Amino acid sequence: MEKADNTTPSCEELAVYVEESIVSVTNTYEQSPVVLMVDDVVIGTLRNFSASIGKAKSKKTFNVSAIVASALRNSTVLHYRSTFPDNKRNILYIDTEQGRHHCQQILKRILRLAELPEDKKPDNLLMLALRKFSPKLRLAIVEQAIGTIPDLGLVVIDGIRDFLYDINSPGESTDIISKFMQWTDDRQIHIHTVLHQNKNDEHARGHIGTELNNKAETIMQIEVDKEDKTISVIEAVHIRDREFEPFAFRINEEAMPEPVESYLPKEKKTGRPTKGPFDPDKEIPKNVHRPALNAVFANGNINNYDDYIERLQEGYGLQGIKLGYNKAVKVATLLSDKQMVIKEGKDYAFNPEYHY
């Protein structure tokens, strides 16, 4: 697999890339095969990637174990159904958080879920524990494994956050997601990754969470049921196919996830949802402010309030946050309160040393 570098391609190389990228109206292009489903809803295809998000202790790793077991059997486990082609049956499982002892317990759980013997190495599953390595070295190891394992169909990365030094770095986040898109396209595989949610809201953590939301085929949320803390509920947050019916599982006495068949999804309110007043502190992710403000103040200080409000609308709009005038005024108030933007005489100035 060709590794990306920081050198500028020559004109001849760029011409080749252009030629490779042309989409023809007369050519026939194969649709990406479906390989992962929840019941009859598509959540994963080859040449794409998906993610599970959830807060701490929501049973994210138990859930991803069921996905891997489903792929291992190429059948149904919990509500996950796998249909990998015969030449795409090998699985790579990457864990970035646990030591090898805990990873072995996860591996044994996957084998039990797949109804395979625990004391025999599976033919088509390789697990790597990368906790002790640096983010840069973890990425290199995964790239090497993806590039050399034959008949690879599914890669699970439990801990995408551990490939970054700074979870809020736009550059690092873009680089990682670009790698995902390269790997899935070059090897025609599906990648499923796991990321924590923020403690105080439902957003996936950091700028890497924003990039996942923008590029992933499916984002599933694993959440502890508010009425029964022994149950974890899985639902689609972002999905290209239609939404699947939320389902639930609990951990049984054998420390295995099992479906809660009696679970009834909470009814969604019909009609236009009621919404309180706009609160930028709650509704705008913290990691959005810095890139937005970098755009707002790209040309230096702003010496007019109306111009400042207009630039706020433009800068946050570049980050996907649409602000009308009244909302922009509330954002300006928040930025002032948090000392993210300060007044210098009549000028509005960005304070890059702010702490939020």
Side-chain angles (χ1 to χ4, degrees):
M1 183 184 302
E2 183 180 352
K3 293 184 179 179
D5 59 33
N6 295 322
T7 60
T8 302
S10 66
C11 291
E12 291 78 10
E13 290 172 322
L14 288 172
V16 172
Y17 296 151
V18 170
E19 188 66 27
E20 288 179 353
S21 304
I22 291 174
V23 179
S24 169
V25 73
T26 57
N27 287 355
T28 300
Y29 301 103
E30 180 183 353
Q31 186 173 357
S32 298
V34 174
V35 291
L36 283 174
M37 305 179 77
V38 170
D39 298 326
D40 61 345
V41 175
V42 177
I43 63 168
T45 59
L46 296 182
R47 305 179 73 173
N48 278 298
F49 59 93
S50 58
S52 298
I53 63 173
K55 297 185 189 298
K57 311 301 181 184
S58 60
K59 306 295 190 293
K60 295 185 295 297
T61 299
F62 281 92
N63 179 67
V64 83
S65 296
I67 294 175
V68 177
S70 168
L72 197 58
R73 290 178 50 179
N74 223 24
S75 62
T76 300
V77 174
L78 288 182
H79 286 256
Y80 296 111
R81 181 157 62 94
S82 294
T83 55
F84 285 86
D86 290 340
N87 64 339
K88 292 289 178 184
R89 292 296 311 281
N90 281 339
I91 304 164
L92 173 64
Y93 190 120
I94 305 294
D95 189 289
T96 63
E97 296 183 354
Q98 309 293 335
R100 283 197 283 184
H101 172 74
H102 284 96
C103 286
Q104 184 184 60
Q105 302 308 308
I106 295 170
L107 180 58
K108 289 182 177 181
R109 180 198 307 144
I110 291 169
L111 294 175
R112 290 200 299 272
L113 282 168
E115 299 179 352
L116 294 173
E118 297 178 40
D119 57 353
K120 180 182 177 183
K121 181 180 181 295
D123 294 330
N124 61 326
L125 172 59
L126 176 66
M127 173 178 277
L128 300 179
L130 304 185
R131 177 180 178 176
K132 69 178 183 179
F133 300 107
S134 68
K136 184 177 180 180
L137 188 50
R138 288 183 190 122
L139 190 66
I141 292 169
V142 173
E143 184 158 52
Q144 174 69 13
I146 289 176
T148 55
I149 295 174
D151 299 330
L152 188 62
L154 175 65
V155 176
V156 170
I157 299 177
D158 193 346
I160 187 175
R161 185 266 174 271
D162 294 315
F163 288 100
L164 299 93
Y165 289 92
D166 180 1
I167 196 171
N168 287 314
S169 167
E172 283 193 88
S173 300
T174 299
D175 287 345
I176 296 298
I177 297 302
S178 295
K179 281 293 184 185
F180 275 31
M181 292 190 287
Q182 177 194 343
W183 295 338
T184 53
D185 196 70
D186 285 353
R187 290 303 313 274
Q188 298 188 38
I189 59 176
H190 186 84
I191 295 177
H192 185 84
T193 192
V194 180
L195 180 66
H196 288 292
Q197 285 177 301
N198 293 328
K199 292 182 179 179
N200 299 323
D201 58 40
E202 303 302 315
H203 296 292
R205 286 187 62 202
H207 197 88
I208 188 65
T210 302
E211 286 296 302
L212 275 176
N213 285 337
N214 290 338
K215 300 294 191 336
E217 182 175 28
T218 303
I219 303 284
M220 297 185 295
Q221 175 179 272
I222 297 87
E223 182 179 32
V224 175
D225 186 79
K226 293 178 175 59
E227 298 175 3
D228 185 344
K229 302 301 183 183
T230 68
I231 292 176
S232 292
V233 179
I234 296 90
E235 62 180 339
V237 178
H238 302 288
I239 189 167
R240 292 180 190 171
D241 197 15
R242 70 188 189 280
E243 288 190 15
F244 57 81
E245 192 78 1
F247 65 95
F249 68 88
R250 63 164 48 94
I251 308 305
N252 64 21
E253 294 178 354
E254 298 177 351
M256 298 287 285
E258 62 179 15
V260 180
E261 302 297 354
S262 59
Y263 174 77
L264 295 176
K266 304 296 184 294
E267 290 188 10
K268 294 184 178 180
K269 295 180 180 179
T270 59
R272 189 183 183 91
T274 58
K275 191 173 182 179
F278 173 68
D279 185 347
D281 194 21
K282 294 180 179 179
E283 297 184 37
I284 298 179
K286 293 180 181 179
N287 60 291
V288 165
H289 292 293
R290 190 173 295 274
L293 291 173
N294 283 333
V296 171
F297 292 94
N299 297 320
N301 294 353
I302 302 170
N303 58 15
N304 178 284
Y305 184 75
D306 288 338
D307 290 345
Y308 173 44
I309 295 299
E310 183 176 337
R311 292 292 296 145
L312 285 178
Q313 292 173 295
E314 294 173 359
Y316 280 84
L318 292 173
Q319 301 301 315
I321 307 295
K322 187 176 180 180
L323 299 175
Y325 181 86
N326 291 335
K327 287 186 176 181
V329 169
K330 289 190 176 183
V331 170
T333 301
L334 172 71
L335 298 176
S336 176
D337 291 343
K338 299 290 186 181
Q339 292 291 292
M340 300 159 77
V341 174
I342 57 178
K343 285 290 293 290
E344 294 182 348
K346 294 182 179 181
D347 288 359
Y348 295 88
F350 176 35
N351 173 24
E353 304 301 324
Y354 75 82
H355 297 284
Y356 181 13

